[in-house]
Amino acid sequence: MRLKPEQLATALKKNVAPVYLLSGDEPQQMGELSDAIRQAAKQNGFSQREIFSTESSFSWSDISNAAASLSIFGDKKVLDLRVPSANFGTEGAKMLTTYCESLPADTILLITCGKLNSTNLKTRWFDAIDKVGITIQVRPLEGEELLQWLTYRLQQRGMRTDNDGLQLLSTRIEGNLLAASQEIEKLYVLYGACALTSAQIFDAVADNSRYDVFKLIDTLLAANVNRVFKVLAGLQAEGIAAPVVLWALMREARTVSKIKLALSNGQSKDTVFRQHQLWDKRASLMDKAIRRLSHNQLFDILSLSAKADRQAKGQEFGDVWETILAVCLLFAASKTS
């Protein structure tokens, strides 16, 4: 059955399907839809999960073998198959058709892949999935659909704005939903649950000051310790709120940690970077950071950031900007473990 992305939540409340196919090249929506399916599966007793990627050492028979194998604990399981290229080939097409014609018990097959073309949608294997499961085509949001998405995401944080505010936010994020999510988080950190004015959105999202938080993050990823002091002093001079700086630091630390974990699980660097919208100079900076920073250092960065957050809220003694400086120096440090 073919569904639109916004119809998935309702379908999951009714029951979970044996097969899901998500295709598209918009990472934010793809990630959120996948998370929703995995969460629904877990709530329905599918506690085991096996991940497969066609970009690593992979054989289509791995899926068949995993589906046929029985857990020693009798657990239901999710087979999480990732096909970034959307190239299933003859072997993949045959396996998927056979799989759907004889569905294994207590198993959900979740397939995420790149954008499928019109030819793919007419194949026997796609038709087989569509008959027994759910297929969703994910595409970039534009126009009114994008405004509705932004409205919903703001509402999730207890925020709202008028049409002018939505149009401004839409223009600034240029259709990048990952960037939109980050900007909405920043708005929440800065203003909390409230009715946002266009001026507030402009000040937060369209901050073109010389020393903005994104320049600070690039400086940290590049491990340019000398420049850290200058950029951080510039942020204070510009009157940037400490919670906004902390938001950026913690978000980037979590991103580095997620990327390191994904790479250690066998995912290719190109795929992981694409999922996190990392290109060109940004990708180069991140590549250096994931090799330089250890998991222990990232944990220390997050712990110290939490302390700074308490200081900013008046819940702990100490100068929040001194603690932020300590966080930055940790972020720009050399690998020690």
Side-chain angles (χ1 to χ4, degrees):
M1 177 171 59
R2 302 191 190 192
L3 295 180
K4 295 179 179 179
E6 61 268 24
Q7 296 175 315
L8 178 63
T10 301
L12 290 173
K13 289 178 181 178
K14 295 178 180 178
N15 62 277
V16 290
V19 184
Y20 290 90
L21 172 63
L22 308 179
S23 66
D25 50 12
E26 206 299 303
Q28 182 71 17
Q29 290 187 87
M30 291 285 285
E32 291 179 349
L33 292 170
S34 298
D35 287 344
I37 292 170
R38 287 190 286 263
Q39 182 62 30
K42 187 175 182 179
Q43 291 173 351
N44 281 271
F46 291 82
S47 56
Q48 271 194 311
R49 178 180 166 211
E50 297 182 49
I51 300 174
F52 304 87
S53 174
T54 57
E55 288 197 340
S56 58
S57 55
F58 172 81
S59 170
W60 285 99
S61 61
D62 294 342
I63 301 296
S64 301
N65 294 336
S69 65
L70 299 176
S71 167
I72 58 174
F73 301 107
D75 294 333
K76 298 178 180 180
K77 58 188 173 183
V78 175
L79 304 181
D80 194 335
L81 172 61
R82 299 164 186 188
V83 191
S85 65
N87 181 13
F88 291 84
T90 303
E91 187 179 355
K94 182 179 179 180
M95 191 285 297
L96 290 173
T97 302
T98 302
Y99 182 98
C100 292
E101 290 174 347
S102 181
L103 292 169
D106 298 331
T107 303
I108 291 176
L109 175 60
L110 169 58
I111 309 165
T112 52
C113 68
K115 183 179 179 180
L116 296 174
N117 56 39
S118 57
T119 302
N120 296 135
L121 303 183
K122 298 174 183 177
T123 57
R124 183 183 173 189
W125 66 264
F126 182 88
D127 187 56
I129 294 174
D130 201 40
K131 285 181 179 178
V132 301
I134 289 176
T135 61
I136 299 178
Q137 305 294 303
V138 178
R139 56 186 175 80
L141 299 180
E142 298 176 346
E144 189 61 32
E145 288 184 332
L146 177 57
L147 296 182
Q148 291 175 358
W149 188 89
L150 291 172
T151 299
Y152 174 71
R153 294 305 290 248
L154 287 168
Q155 289 174 345
Q156 286 184 310
R157 279 303 197 179
M159 296 183 291
R160 64 187 185 279
T161 189
D162 58 18
N163 189 61
D164 288 342
L166 286 175
Q167 291 289 351
L168 175 60
L169 185 55
S170 173
T171 299
R172 292 300 176 182
I173 57 99
E174 297 180 337
N176 185 331
L177 300 191
L178 181 60
S181 296
Q182 294 169 354
E183 292 295 349
I184 289 171
E185 286 300 309
K186 184 167 72 171
L187 286 165
Y188 178 73
V189 168
L190 191 57
Y191 302 115
C194 68
L196 295 166
T197 66
S198 296
Q200 287 174 316
I201 294 175
F202 183 87
D203 288 342
V205 179
D207 180 13
N208 296 314
S209 63
R210 183 179 178 187
Y211 297 108
D212 61 32
V213 291
F214 299 106
K215 285 187 175 67
L216 175 64
I217 294 302
D218 286 351
T219 300
L220 300 179
L221 293 179
N224 190 340
V225 177
N226 292 332
R227 186 166 169 77
V228 166
F229 294 93
K230 184 177 181 180
V231 176
L232 198 57
L235 286 171
Q236 288 183 267
E238 292 283 346
I240 304 299
V244 173
V245 180
L246 280 170
W247 163 81
L249 291 171
M250 298 180 78
R251 177 180 63 85
E252 202 66 19
R254 292 191 182 104
T255 297
V256 176
S257 183
K258 288 177 182 178
I259 290 175
K260 287 178 68 71
L261 182 60
L263 294 176
S264 67
N265 286 335
Q267 295 187 48
S268 74
K269 186 180 294 182
D270 287 344
T271 298
V272 177
F273 277 19
R274 186 168 60 248
Q275 290 172 345
H276 286 83
Q277 297 281 298
L278 295 168
W279 317 106
D280 302 327
K281 178 184 176 182
R282 187 95 175 118
S284 177
L285 289 173
M286 182 60 71
D287 187 46
K288 293 176 182 177
I290 59 177
R291 288 187 280 110
R292 175 173 52 82
L293 291 165
S294 68
H295 286 292
N296 287 339
Q297 284 173 304
L298 291 167
F299 178 81
D300 290 341
I301 288 168
L302 289 171
S303 297
L304 198 55
S305 296
K307 176 182 178 180
D309 183 59
R310 293 192 297 271
Q311 290 174 334
K313 295 175 181 176
Q315 299 172 349
E316 185 168 330
F317 291 110
D319 187 321
V320 62
W321 284 102
E322 288 185 2
T323 308
I324 288 176
L325 173 60
V327 172
C328 291
L329 294 177
L330 273 177
F331 220 131
S334 299
K335 187 170 183 177
T336 59
S337 60

